[in-house]
């Protein structure tokens, strides 16, 4: 069964885990996936979060590169307006060499108001910042001098991959979808409603349309021998994730697959989370409903020892 991992490294105080312990567990899990045929590990980025949500994916990606040999290392997503384009071009080129071309980069515009306040960035400048980032990275990774903000600059070293890592765009609006069609190597929307705008713009530009949609509502699936027990055990962490994302969605007024949830029945039926037995997972696999299982083992700050239970069940039944 094809599988990958993803992490945001939220670490709420009630989990009782130090940040260092959580980071070490993530590295151990990435190494486990690497030695068991996993395809990818992805990391997301946010800033100024009370639960320590990962602010530095490139640093984490470098640590994972040193512990693995096969996994693709993906950033889903780096928030373009918060990065200096030249420094990011350098850092990603170095990481691409460190992991010998296993790097995939998804760039997004960001949406949480507190982050724009933290960095002193005008949210209305997001489209320009994203377009500048895509153009700068591509020019920088040629290894040749180019014009950047009125200066002639050159970025070295060149990435391991010829022309640099794949550059994909994330987003949740029709504007982001159309922008992705124009400047990105692909589009991974966070909500399904903007996918038609991406296809429409590709067709208008005469570019190939992907054979299948990348627009899917995110669902975190965990494995358990006793789902009923696990729902009660893991609910605080699942509530923490959906309510934290939901609060950012409310503050920003933008589309998001997450809403605040306040009771267990609402959480169980919202569609964002499922806890399945191995037999139920096998039925999903055999029906083709889960072509690739992307595991989020420490979702919402689940402690490592509980996260390993789901991973070991997957190893026992599917590897």
């Amino acid at each position: 069964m094809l599988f990958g991992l993803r992490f945001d490294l939220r670490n709420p105080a009630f989990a009782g885990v130090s940040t260092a312990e959580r980071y070490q567990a993530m590295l151990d899990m990435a190494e486990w996936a690497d030695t068991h045929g996993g395809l990818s590990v992805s990391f997301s980025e946010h800033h100024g979060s009370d639960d320590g949500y990962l602010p530095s994916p490139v640093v984490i990606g470098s640590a994972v590169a040193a512990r693995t040999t096969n996994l693709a290392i993906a950033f889903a997503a780096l928030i373009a307006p918060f990065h200096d384009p030249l420094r990011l071009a350098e850092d990603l080129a170095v990481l691409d060499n460190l992991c010998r071309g296993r790097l995939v980069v998804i760039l997004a515009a960001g949406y949480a108001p507190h982050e724009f306040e933290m960095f002193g960035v005008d949210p209305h400048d997001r489209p320009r910042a994203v377009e500048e980032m895509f153009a700068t990275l591509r020019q920088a990774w040629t290894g040749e001098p180019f014009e950047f903000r009125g200066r002639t600059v050159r970025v070295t070293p060149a990435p391991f991959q010829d022309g640099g890592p794949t550059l994909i765009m994330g987003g949740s609006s029709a504007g982001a979808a159309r922008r992705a069609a124009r400047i990105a190597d692909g589009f991974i929307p966070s909500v399904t409603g903007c996918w038609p705008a991406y296809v429409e713009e590709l067709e208008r530009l005469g570019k190939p349309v992907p054979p299948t949609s990348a627009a899917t509502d995110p669902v975190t699936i965990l494995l358990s021998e006793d789902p009923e027990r696990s729902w009660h055990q893991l609910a605080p962490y699942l509530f923490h994730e959906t309510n934290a994302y939901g609060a950012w969605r409310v503050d920003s007024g933008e589309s998001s697959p997450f809403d605040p949830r306040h009771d267990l029945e609402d959480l169980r039926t919202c569609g964002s989370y499922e806890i399945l037995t191995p037999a139920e997972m096998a039925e999903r696999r055999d029906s083709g409903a889960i072509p690739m299982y992307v595991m989020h083992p420490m979702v919402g700050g689940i402690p490592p020892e509980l996260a390993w239970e789901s991973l070991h069940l997957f190893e026992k039944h599917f590897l």
Side-chain angles (χ1 to χ4, degrees), residues 17 32 34 47 73 99 112 128 136 151 189-190 236 256 275 287 296:
V17 178
W32 169 86
D34 194 59
H47 300 270
I73 299 171
C99 70
R128 185 209 60 79
T136 302
R151 310 186 304 276
S190 54
S256 167
I275 301 178
S287 71
H296 192 355

Side-chain angles (χ1 to χ4, degrees), residues 217-301:
D217 291 322
V219 180
T220 295
I221 300 175
L222 299 165
L223 292 180
S224 173
E225 297 282 18
D226 184 352
E228 193 63 32
R229 172 187 61 83
S230 294
W231 270 112
H232 290 275
Q233 187 177 38
L234 302 180
Y237 307 101
L238 305 184
F239 274 124
H240 178 72
E241 181 189 61
T242 192
N243 289 340
Y245 275 133
W248 291 348
R249 180 194 67 75
V250 171
D251 287 345
S252 69
E254 299 203 7
S255 298
S256 167
F258 293 97
D259 283 306
R261 308 288 173 183
H262 303 291
D263 65 74
L264 184 57
E265 184 60 25
D266 187 22
L267 184 71
R268 294 179 68 153
T269 59
C270 72
S272 295
Y273 307 100
E274 292 189 87
I275 301 178
L276 304 179
T277 65
E280 290 170 331
M281 177 63 113
E283 289 178 5
R284 299 281 190 90
R285 176 203 59 191
D286 294 343
S287 71
I290 305 177
M292 179 173 172
Y293 179 26
V294 180
M295 293 179 266
H296 192 355
M298 293 193 286
V299 56

Side-chain angles (χ1 to χ4, degrees), residues 163-215:
T166 297
L167 289 177
I168 299 169
M169 185 179 293
S172 60
S173 68
R178 289 189 288 268
R179 196 172 303 115
R182 293 195 302 271
I183 66 175
D185 297 324
F187 181 52
I188 300 181
S190 54
V191 294
T192 57
C194 55
W195 183 257
Y198 177 62
V199 172
E200 180 181 304
E201 186 69 3
L202 286 175
E203 292 173 338
R204 188 187 71 81
L205 295 169
K207 293 184 176 182
V209 175
T212 58
S213 171

Side-chain angles (χ1 to χ4, degrees), residues 136-151:
T136 302
L137 293 180
R138 289 208 168 99
Q139 290 177 295
W141 291 338
T142 67
E144 299 298 325
F146 65 99
E147 293 299 310
F148 175 77
R149 298 179 183 174
R151 310 186 304 276

Side-chain angles (χ1 to χ4, degrees), residues 107-138:
L107 295 166
Y111 66 92
H114 75 274
E115 295 180 313
F116 289 89
E117 293 173 7
M118 176 178 173
F119 286 98
V121 174
D122 183 352
H124 297 98
D125 194 43
R126 288 179 294 174
R128 185 209 60 79
V130 169
E131 296 207 14
E132 180 187 55
M133 183 64 77
F134 272 87
T136 302
L137 293 180
R138 289 208 168 99

